[in-house]
């Protein structure tokens, strides 16, 4: 059985070209990039080339990039780093109710330490409103953090407008762009952001490496204490293999992104259309147009997401019910609840996310199998009556 991977939003396979670019840094060029001998300098060169590649891809300067261990660290670093540096100015943070846990959990911890956090809600499509953010701002607000695109429902937020507002008010603005970098255009200047998180494994780089963009002049406290790597902003031996891989992944996205985006939008819209047409009582989650090219998310009434997932998995098709990070929890997704969905509908959601190697044939197979799985499960559901 040829398996079909439709869970790219959880993680993407590493591009073989990325693996090839990383290989020499495991053995031939093993140096610690902080060492002054030739081995160290070779590793340093690989890292600085990757830094330049990434910076130019997102419209930043190389010195504004800090490499991290991934999206979670970048998010924690941004939130905790900014508020601890700005504590003399205020103690209020604004974020949204649908952020990834890598933002929500640090916010919860900060609330226990005397900070106040406003979690702005979203409309039924998952969009935050500029008005709500404007209303939430106080003279104590020191940070606004709103994600670029949601990892479950794919809704893309009006980041440039929020950034403009933050700039006018003199408040630092962070965006979690983990789901967008390498998939849709991201430019820190056009988006008016001061900080931006990204993660290599979401765009065909290796797992365990990411970056935080920090606009020059932004006050931020170092996150990891120890050595003076990253100009003293983040200690720990440079992950030269990972960083080189991330740089190569960026180079490949620069080349392929526009074409991949076009194909994925076509496949996404086909899936939305056919699921709506062929399966009764389904509900598209997320915005119909302002959404990630690779994301489809449906609530399928009268059945549980987990049983759909398991039945599809038996057929070799991998998707998700929401975020992989909370898939072991039986609680419905906080994102779907924030859209206003009742618990029982939020429980029956299915996320399909595509990537570089998704083919039309795979989508056809998925679209053929899905109604069968749903029919089978609904036949067992006491709540469902066939119309
Ligand atoms: N933010 C978003 C929007 C994500 O989708 C993820 C991963 O699922 C993260 C943060 C965490 O990134 P990482 O897995 O690199 O720690």
């Amino acid at each position: 059985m040829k398996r079909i991977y439709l869970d790219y939003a959880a993680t993407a396979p590493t591009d073989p070209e990325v693996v090839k670019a990383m290989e020499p840094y495991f053995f031939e060029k093993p140096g610690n990039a902080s060492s002054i001998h030739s081995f160290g300098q070779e590793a340093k060169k690989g890292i600085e080339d990757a830094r330049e590649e990434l910076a130019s891809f997102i419209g930043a300067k190389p010195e504004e990039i800090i490499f991290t261990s991934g999206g979670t660290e970048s998010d924690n670093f941004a939130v905790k780093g900014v508020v601890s540096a700005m504590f003399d100015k205020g103690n209020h943070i604004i974020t949204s109710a649908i952020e990834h846990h890598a933002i929500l959990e640090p916010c919860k911890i900060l609330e226990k330490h005397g900070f106040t956090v406003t979690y702005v809600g979203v409309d039924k499509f998952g969009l935050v409103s500029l008005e709500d953010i404007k209303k939430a701002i106080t003279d104590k607000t020191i940070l606004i953090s709103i994600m670029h695109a949601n990892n479950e429902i794919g809704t893309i937020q009006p980041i440039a407008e929020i950034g403009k507002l933050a700039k006018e008010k003199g408040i630092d603005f962070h965006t979690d762009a983990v789901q967008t970098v390498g998939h849709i255009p991201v430019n820190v200047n056009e988006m008016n952001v001061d900080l931006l998180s990204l993660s290599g494994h979401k765009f065909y780089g290796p797992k365990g490496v990411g970056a935080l963009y920090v606009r020059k002049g932004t006050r931020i406290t170092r996150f990891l204490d120890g050595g003076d790597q990253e100009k003293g902003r983040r200690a720990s031996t440079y992950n030269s293999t990972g960083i080189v891989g991330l740089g190569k992944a960026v180079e490949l996205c620069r080349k392929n992104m526009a074409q991949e985006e076009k194909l994925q939008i076509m496949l996404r819209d086909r899936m939305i259309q056919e699921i709506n047409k062929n399966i009764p009582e389904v509900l598209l989650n997320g915005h119909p147009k302002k959404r990630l090219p690779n994301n489809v998310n449906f609530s399928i009434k009268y059945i549980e997401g987990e049983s759909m997932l398991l039945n599809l998995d038996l057929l070799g098709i991998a998707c998700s019910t929401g975020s992989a990070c909370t898939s072991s929890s039986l609680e419905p997704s906080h994102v779907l609840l924030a859209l206003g969905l009742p618990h029982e509908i939020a429980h029956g959601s299915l996320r399909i996310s595509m990537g570089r190697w998704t083919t039309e044939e795979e989508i056809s197979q998925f679209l053929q199998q899905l109604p069968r799985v749903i029919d089978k499960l609904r036949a067992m559901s006491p709540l469902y009556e066939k119309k």
Side-chain angles (χ1 to χ4, degrees):
M1 177 171 66
K2 196 170 167 286
R3 293 187 302 165
I4 299 176
Y5 188 70
L6 294 173
D7 200 12
Y8 279 80
T11 193
T14 312
D15 193 296
E17 282 197 52
V18 167
V19 178
K20 210 159 94 195
M22 290 169 71
E23 245 165 30
Y25 292 84
F26 285 105
F27 196 74
E28 286 156 49
K29 302 180 181 183
N32 182 323
S34 302
S35 305
I36 53 173
H37 48 59
S38 64
F39 289 91
Q41 293 312 297
E42 272 171 359
K44 185 161 189 234
K45 167 97 175 53
I47 290 167
E48 295 316 315
D49 287 350
R51 197 187 304 278
E52 275 184 29
E53 181 70 47
L54 172 61
S56 84
F57 188 55
I58 61 169
K61 300 186 189 84
E63 62 273 21
E64 295 174 318
I65 301 291
I66 304 174
F67 287 112
T68 65
S69 65
T72 301
E73 183 186 325
S74 298
D75 283 348
N76 272 263
F77 190 176
V79 174
K80 294 175 185 165
V82 167
V83 301
S84 60
M86 299 292 287
F87 195 44
D88 55 337
K89 293 259 181 285
N91 67 344
H92 179 231
I93 303 163
I94 299 173
T95 189
S96 84
I98 63 164
E99 298 296 308
H100 191 273
H101 289 288
I103 291 289
L104 294 177
E105 290 301 313
C107 284
K108 271 196 222 156
I109 287 164
L110 289 167
E111 283 180 293
K112 290 189 189 141
H113 288 88
F115 288 87
T116 54
V117 183
T118 303
Y119 301 90
V120 294
V122 291
D123 68 10
K124 64 176 181 177
F125 297 123
L127 278 173
V128 300
S129 109
L130 201 59
E131 269 317 298
D132 287 350
I133 293 177
K134 214 182 268 180
K135 273 192 231 144
I137 294 174
T138 72
D139 57 355
K140 294 268 184 271
T141 310
I142 46 174
L143 178 70
I144 301 175
S145 179
I146 303 288
M147 70 201 316
H148 190 192
N150 185 269
N151 46 302
E152 294 185 33
I153 56 172
T155 301
I156 300 172
Q157 304 295 344
I159 293 301
E161 286 85 343
I162 302 168
K164 187 162 165 276
L165 172 68
K167 206 189 254 178
E168 282 162 13
K169 301 280 183 188
I171 301 166
D172 285 334
F173 180 42
H174 166 256
T175 193
D176 173 342
V178 167
Q179 289 290 336
T180 53
V181 169
H183 296 275
I184 59 172
V186 167
N187 182 294
V188 293
N189 300 314
E190 288 165 14
M191 289 161 71
N192 297 316
V193 295
D194 300 302
L195 303 111
L196 180 144
S197 302
L198 60 96
S199 177
H201 72 104
K202 305 286 185 182
F203 55 93
Y204 320 108
K207 293 168 183 53
V209 62
L212 179 65
Y213 157 78
V214 183
R215 187 177 293 280
K216 198 162 177 247
T218 306
R219 281 167 60 193
I220 186 160
T221 305
R222 61 188 274 163
F223 188 58
L224 291 179
D225 296 314
D228 64 357
Q229 290 88 353
E230 294 289 3
K231 297 193 164 61
R233 295 171 299 179
R234 193 246 183 207
S236 182
T237 298
Y238 288 100
N239 173 7
S240 45
T241 43
I243 294 170
V244 166
L246 186 145
K248 185 69 186 180
V250 168
E251 188 192 316
L252 296 173
C253 286
R254 193 196 288 277
K255 255 194 274 175
N256 301 327
M257 197 172 80
Q259 211 184 334
E260 288 173 359
E261 201 185 334
K262 226 160 84 185
L263 174 68
Q264 285 167 13
I265 288 175
M266 193 267 285
L267 295 175
R268 177 195 73 188
D269 292 347
R270 177 178 159 210
M271 271 195 274
I272 292 175
Q273 205 189 5
E274 290 197 24
I275 293 174
N276 268 325
K277 194 173 100 199
N278 298 334
I279 306 173
E281 305 213 53
V282 295
L283 177 75
L284 176 70
N285 295 313
H287 197 281
K289 289 277 170 259
K290 291 176 191 164
R291 75 184 300 135
L292 286 169
N294 66 340
N295 171 291
V296 172
N297 186 317
F298 270 97
S299 283
I300 297 169
K301 293 184 192 168
Y302 310 112
I303 43 182
E304 301 233 316
E306 280 70 23
S307 39
M308 265 184 291
L309 204 73
L310 292 174
N311 276 272
L312 286 166
D313 193 39
L314 289 174
L315 299 166
I317 301 171
C319 353
S320 147
T321 51
S323 163
C325 312
T326 47
S327 53
S328 56
S329 149
L330 286 178
E331 278 297 297
S333 136
H334 68 287
V335 176
L336 298 178
L337 294 180
L339 300 180
L341 294 187
H343 271 60
E344 66 277 13
I345 295 182
H347 262 305
S349 78
L350 190 68
R351 176 186 74 181
I352 303 111
S353 53
M354 299 172 283
R356 182 163 291 163
W357 295 280
T358 305
T359 63
E360 260 192 274
E361 170 58 27
E362 287 178 332
I363 296 303
S364 299
Q365 281 202 33
F366 166 72
L367 287 170
Q368 209 176 41
Q369 297 295 355
L370 183 67
R372 292 182 193 162
V373 166
I374 291 172
D375 273 352
K376 182 176 121 187
L377 291 171
R378 279 183 173 166
M380 292 189 283
S381 165
L383 301 171
Y384 185 67
E385 276 177 47
K386 208 164 181 170
K387 302 234 158 61

